Amino acid sequence: YCLGSGLSWEPRSRAVEQVHLRCTEGSLEWMYPARALRVVLEPNLSSARHTTVCIKPASDFQGASIYVERAGQLHLVVSEAEGARPHHVSCFSAHTPQRVALFLQASPQRDISRRTASFQYELLTNQGAAGPEFKKMALVEAMCRPCDNMELLMAICSSDFVVKGSIRNVSHDSENHMSQVDVSVQKVYRQKNRIFQQDEASGEWRGPIRTLLQCKVKKGGGDFLFTGNEHFGEAWLGCAPRFKDFMFIYQAARERGANPCEFQLN
């Protein structure tokens, strides 16, 4: 997390302030934006060959626009007008995975009313060649198709969250091309952050999972094993087989020693 203010700079200085961030994900808050700010993302990704950078401006993003530097030129990523759009995420491929430079240009303003240009960022890497699957939008975990057995077995090993539950409700947001699956949780096997929480009144565990509108998710009965990854504090759906089907696949793989990791079923 990085916090700074345009009011702290010398009034007559024309220098562009520079900030170096070395984490693969984080956030920046620029209060009272003035002139320009250059943000260099340079995490330790020496083994990565391909990187996608995703930026999510805060809902009250004001006072600046965000550009990415490429070959000495600036390309607009987030305009000030787009900052107010909820859930809006911009993703782009980085030409040099080890160093990505963002340029924040403050908008001209006559008053000194409080404005804050705040955003979150994530760097997503792929160690191998950039195939067609990787070139798709980085936040898309769901591919709108059932996972095969090996993908499912890998999902329970590497996903940010793995929960057993049923679908309470499905709502659709056509403007942002997303659907939200509200899950009633019976068992939390793993979660990176506290997206799935216990309701104090009912004692029931529940949580929201996002997916693409084009996947046309519908409410279905029965228990599922929900897996996926977290982006910007939200859970995105990966593999979600019926729980009885998962049990059959996992136990069969374990009997022949083909399970990539041990999964605690009890």
Side-chain angles (χ1 to χ4, degrees):
Y1 177 75
C2 180
L3 174 66
S5 171
L7 298 181
S8 63
W9 299 349
E10 291 292 333
R12 297 180 180 179
S13 172
R14 294 188 178 183
V16 175
E17 187 80 6
Q18 293 209 57
V19 176
H20 293 259
L21 302 179
R22 304 188 186 280
C23 297
T24 55
E25 60 182 85
S27 60
L28 182 140
E29 185 175 356
W30 189 22
M31 301 170 60
Y32 304 101
R35 296 183 293 280
L37 180 68
R38 187 169 184 261
V39 181
V40 182
L41 309 177
E42 45 184 3
N44 183 18
L45 297 175
S46 57
S47 60
R49 294 177 56 187
H50 306 283
T51 301
T52 294
V53 181
C54 291
I55 295 174
K56 182 179 182 180
S59 58
D60 59 350
F61 184 97
Q62 286 185 333
S65 294
I66 304 176
Y67 299 81
V68 60
E69 291 184 9
R70 281 180 175 163
Q73 294 185 329
L74 298 179
H75 299 268
L76 181 65
V77 177
V78 177
S79 68
E80 183 175 11
E82 290 178 328
R85 292 171 55 189
H87 309 303
H88 179 65
V89 176
S90 298
C91 297
F92 56 90
S93 297
H95 288 186
T96 54
Q98 291 78 29
R99 186 181 177 91
V100 178
L102 303 175
F103 189 84
L104 277 69
Q105 176 67 56
S107 304
Q109 52 184 315
R110 294 182 179 180
D111 57 51
I112 58 171
S113 60
R114 175 167 180 160
R115 298 188 182 188
T116 302
S118 177
F119 67 90
Q120 296 172 276
Y121 73 90
E122 286 189 9
L123 280 76
L124 307 173
T125 63
N126 180 19
Q127 308 293 342
E133 294 300 313
F134 179 73
K135 292 178 181 178
K136 295 184 179 182
M137 182 178 175
L139 292 185
V140 177
E141 298 297 335
M143 305 308 293
C144 300
R145 59 166 177 78
C147 296
D148 62 30
N149 290 358
M150 184 50 66
E151 287 173 328
L152 173 57
L153 292 171
M154 290 301 298
I156 63 173
C157 302
S158 59
S159 295
D160 289 338
F161 66 88
V162 181
V163 299
K164 176 187 178 183
S166 58
I167 299 175
R168 290 170 49 90
N169 185 48
V170 178
S171 56
H172 305 289
D173 182 354
S174 57
E175 182 179 352
N176 292 295
H177 308 289
M178 295 189 304
S179 296
Q180 178 170 302
V181 182
D182 294 313
V183 176
S184 177
V185 178
Q186 299 175 26
K187 173 76 173 179
V188 177
Y189 294 100
R190 183 193 313 133
Q191 63 171 327
K192 186 177 178 181
N193 294 302
R194 290 180 53 80
I195 290 177
F196 304 96
Q197 299 189 29
Q198 188 175 28
D199 182 81
E200 294 183 0
S202 65
E204 180 186 22
W205 282 78
R206 60 181 64 169
I209 302 177
R210 296 186 179 277
T211 187
L212 292 180
L213 185 66
Q214 69 195 50
C215 293
K216 299 179 181 179
V217 175
K218 297 179 181 180
K219 184 177 180 179
D223 296 332
F224 295 83
L225 187 75
F226 297 98
T227 71
N229 290 311
E230 295 181 21
H231 298 291
F232 302 108
E234 298 173 340
W236 283 81
L237 186 64
C239 300
R242 290 193 175 275
F243 191 78
K244 60 180 181 180
D245 295 335
F246 158 71
M247 288 285 290
F248 177 80
I249 293 168
Y250 178 75
Q251 289 176 345
R254 190 176 184 184
E255 286 177 4
R256 64 179 189 271
N259 54 313
C261 67
E262 288 292 328
F263 187 75
Q264 299 296 329
L265 293 171
N266 300 324

